[in-house]
Amino acid sequence: MPPAARLSKSSYLAGLQCPLLLYRMVRGPELPEPDRFTQYQLDQGTAAGKLAAEQYGPGTQIPAFPLEEALEKTRKALEEGREHIFEAAFSFQDIHVKADILVSRGDGHADIIEVKSSTKVKDRHIDDLAIQRFVLEGNGLTVDSAFVLHMNPDYVHPGDSLFLLSDQTRAADSRMGNIPENLRAMRKVLRAPEPPDTDIGPHCGKPDECPLKGECWKHVPKISVFSIPNIRSEKWDFYRQGLVGIDQLPDWFKGKPYQKPFLDSCRSGKPVIDRTGLGSMMAELKEPLHFMDFETLMLAVPVHPGTRPWQQITVQWSVHTLKEGKLGHREFIHDSATDPRIQFIESLLEALGDTGSVIVYSAPFEKGRLEEIAEAFPQYRDRIDRVIARVWDQLLVFKNHYCDSGFCGSNSLKNVLPVMVPELSYATLDVQEGGTAMAEYARMISLPGGGEKEKIKKNLLEYCKLDTLAMVEIHKVLSGIE
Ligand code: SF4
């Protein structure tokens, strides 16, 4: 029997989500590397954490590694009566935790502050505080208060109060009683010679999307009960009965009216098209047709005037214009860390002109970004309003009038394109989806001019261009339906 493994705050939280995730995190094989977008979000969180610590400075920074040194330095800092200790390290019953900010009173009493780059307190933050408190109290400290310091969603740069301090002492207290039992169960899992045989379930996405989904969900076919639009918890009832494929569903299950086109398409193997609805939508279009897409950058710590934490800042656009059968293309990318919005909107308004429909995929996104620019720069308000009035949403075709089982229950452009226009694909591009585009954009603007910067810029331009070309080609298919 292997010895009990040391637990950390992250493995404890993983253990609350799923025993198999805990086992893999502690015993291996290692979890897959985070993708570029996840890493980008983690880096943003680190940047916010550093800034938060500065607000409590000066303080004693404890080095992250090696563990023994971190524990020793924390002990010494407490002995010396240091008030603010960052990344304070503690170990108790082989559980190792670090407190982002420890505010020590020098008499064995302290507060703990967990810094989060989210704009609100999340349920898992409470468990995070509870396990820290459990370990600190095991070390003889009394934790008077437990706080989450998170981004203030109402902060507007440059302003006051980028962070909000939220007292979660009571909430964390209420989780303390469960900790011994949770730890017993986790240690039992970790002592076993083999990983637990945990089945998939709603826990795979709660509270976080599990990094092992690619492995654990392999047995679920591409089109399954999980693809049925808005099926909610019913899908798990079917799954637990061994009903995974659409062809396994019982006859009595007809689905709600909005699920019927998908089920009918699965059963017939053909798309279900509401030709009347599609025809009236297509009749709304006015030439020239401008197919438009934006890319954005989200910064946890805003740097441009008038922006908020995590606001989506428009940095790039692509527009394909179709007029009398001829296709043209224009594009823009802001390639430095300065404020991109004025150049973005001026070049875009010029490219769109005053006539024709502006076709987007999921209008709330583009309309929302245009609204934000109009609020920040009222001199563009009238022209932006006129563009918004011309917006036509291609996604609504697939939401309301055209369903193909091949979309696997999602109407995202990435699911719709391979079915509607199989010859057009993102597969050969370095950047294949919006999250990666954002991570790569952040990397590009951090680089000095040169080969690597130019290479990323080219990849981003290709990606955004393909998004709008995809809409053009889908439009051509839709136009041919009678
Ligand atoms: S994918 Fe689901 S079952 Fe697999 S480890 Fe993650 S949470 Fe557990």
Side-chain angles (χ1 to χ4, degrees):
M1 189 184 288
R6 175 172 276 159
L7 281 166
S8 67
K9 219 166 62 164
S10 341
S11 52
Y12 176 78
L13 295 176
L16 292 181
Q17 178 166 358
C18 171
L20 176 56
L21 177 61
L22 166 73
Y23 191 97
R24 285 287 301 274
M25 195 181 250
V26 178
R27 293 230 172 272
E30 266 186 38
L31 301 182
E33 287 281 310
D35 60 37
R36 284 181 272 182
F37 182 54
T38 308
Q39 189 56 54
Y40 167 75
Q41 289 175 305
L42 293 171
D43 294 344
Q44 288 292 304
T46 308
K50 272 191 188 151
L51 202 63
E54 278 171 22
Q55 298 194 348
Y56 284 83
T60 305
Q61 179 70 49
I62 304 298
F65 302 105
L67 172 63
E68 294 312 325
E69 189 183 326
L71 294 171
E72 179 55 24
K73 289 208 158 143
T74 304
R75 198 186 53 73
K76 242 177 124 194
L78 283 169
E79 263 178 24
E80 288 167 2
R82 303 293 171 90
E83 189 184 357
H84 292 135
I85 308 173
F86 305 130
E87 301 287 317
F90 297 91
S91 203
F92 174 61
Q93 294 182 355
D94 260 339
I95 313 153
H96 168 55
V97 300
K98 277 185 288 175
D100 285 341
I101 302 172
L102 184 87
V103 183
S104 167
R105 306 222 155 69
D107 57 356
H109 285 249
D111 293 342
I112 48 175
I113 302 172
E114 184 63 19
V115 182
K116 296 294 175 193
S117 60
S118 57
T119 50
K120 60 180 184 188
V121 177
K122 297 183 181 173
D123 190 67
R124 61 177 172 277
H125 301 161
I126 313 295
D127 290 307
D128 196 327
L129 287 170
I131 189 70
Q132 286 183 53
R133 179 168 175 186
F134 179 82
V135 172
L136 264 66
E137 296 199 339
N139 279 264
L141 277 170
T142 302
V143 176
D144 294 324
S145 299
F147 299 97
V148 174
L149 185 69
H150 62 87
M151 313 295 304
N152 176 0
D154 299 323
Y155 171 83
V156 178
H157 183 76
D160 298 324
S161 313
L162 174 59
F163 295 95
L164 290 180
L165 191 64
S166 172
D167 188 345
Q168 296 296 329
T169 312
R170 276 184 173 206
D173 277 358
S174 71
R175 308 270 168 109
M176 295 283 291
N178 300 333
I179 291 178
E181 183 47 42
N182 291 341
L183 290 172
R184 251 191 305 279
M186 288 180 201
R187 292 214 160 97
K188 191 169 166 212
V189 166
L190 292 171
R191 269 198 301 269
E194 296 292 330
D197 187 16
T198 313
D199 200 359
I200 63 168
H203 60 276
C204 297
K206 265 197 234 159
D208 292 316
E209 195 75 354
C210 177
L212 290 175
K213 270 188 95 173
E215 295 178 32
C216 296
W217 283 64
K218 266 193 187 141
H219 62 293
V220 176
K222 226 173 132 195
I223 303 174
S224 71
V225 291
F226 296 101
S227 320
I228 301 173
N230 294 315
I231 186 165
R232 298 175 196 273
S233 60
E234 223 175 348
K235 58 183 177 266
W236 290 112
D237 298 339
F238 286 135
Y239 177 78
R240 284 181 202 115
Q241 294 167 52
L243 310 173
V244 187
I246 301 295
D247 54 348
Q248 294 174 298
L249 286 171
D251 287 343
W252 58 260
F253 181 75
K254 304 287 181 222
K256 304 258 172 13
Y258 53 83
Q259 295 166 335
K260 232 178 139 305
F262 175 75
L263 295 169
D264 289 349
S265 173
C266 289
R267 285 166 184 150
S268 69
K270 292 183 188 152
V272 174
I273 308 171
D274 158 24
R275 287 165 202 274
T276 315
L278 172 63
S280 11
M281 251 195 96
M282 298 296 280
E284 293 166 7
L285 289 170
K286 291 187 183 66
E287 276 214 7
L289 304 179
H290 305 283
F291 297 83
M292 177 181 88
D293 185 53
F294 299 165
E295 298 304 327
T296 58
L297 179 68
M298 292 159 76
L299 298 169
V301 179
V303 294
H304 304 309
T307 59
R308 295 168 195 273
W310 294 111
Q311 183 176 326
Q312 304 216 38
I313 311 293
T314 43
V315 293
Q316 180 182 359
W317 58 256
S318 165
V319 173
H320 271 96
T321 298
L322 191 59
K323 189 178 177 188
E324 293 162 2
K326 279 197 183 141
L327 188 64
H329 179 249
R330 296 179 74 172
E331 61 193 357
F332 166 86
I333 188 165
H334 186 79
D335 65 1
S336 77
T338 57
D339 194 335
R341 292 170 296 169
I342 294 273
Q343 286 176 49
F344 176 95
I345 196 65
E346 288 209 336
S347 56
L348 179 70
L349 290 170
E350 205 248 303
L352 294 175
D354 296 322
T355 56
S357 299
V358 177
I359 302 176
V360 299
Y361 207 92
S362 190
F365 174 74
E366 270 80 12
K367 281 184 176 175
R369 302 300 74 77
L370 287 170
E371 276 293 343
E372 283 159 6
I373 297 177
E375 264 170 45
F377 305 101
Q379 66 270 35
Y380 297 103
R381 165 57 77 188
D382 290 348
R383 292 173 72 195
I384 287 177
D385 281 350
R386 287 201 293 276
V387 168
I388 289 176
R390 290 157 60 199
V391 166
W392 186 93
D393 193 348
Q394 195 176 63
L395 170 67
L396 294 183
V397 169
F398 299 102
K399 219 168 165 186
N400 301 325
H401 309 302
Y402 192 118
C403 180
D404 193 303
S405 59
F407 302 161
C408 306
S410 160
N411 295 319
S412 79
L413 189 56
K414 305 296 184 287
N415 279 38
V416 167
L417 181 67
V419 178
M420 300 298 285
V421 192
E423 59 279 14
L424 206 56
S425 163
Y426 290 83
T428 57
L429 300 188
D430 175 71
V431 176
Q432 299 180 10
E433 52 79 43
T436 312
M438 191 180 298
E440 286 296 280
Y441 181 85
R443 197 159 75 82
M444 178 191 71
I445 58 173
S446 72
L447 292 171
E452 183 63 6
K453 187 180 183 106
E454 288 308 311
K455 195 172 123 205
I456 302 172
K457 190 169 164 183
K458 185 170 155 281
N459 290 341
L460 291 168
L461 287 170
E462 272 179 8
Y463 167 69
C464 198
K465 183 178 181 182
L466 187 53
D467 267 347
T468 50
L469 184 62
M471 287 152 63
V472 173
E473 295 303 324
I474 289 171
H475 170 79
K476 288 181 184 167
V477 176
L478 295 174
S479 304
I481 296 172
E482 298 187 345

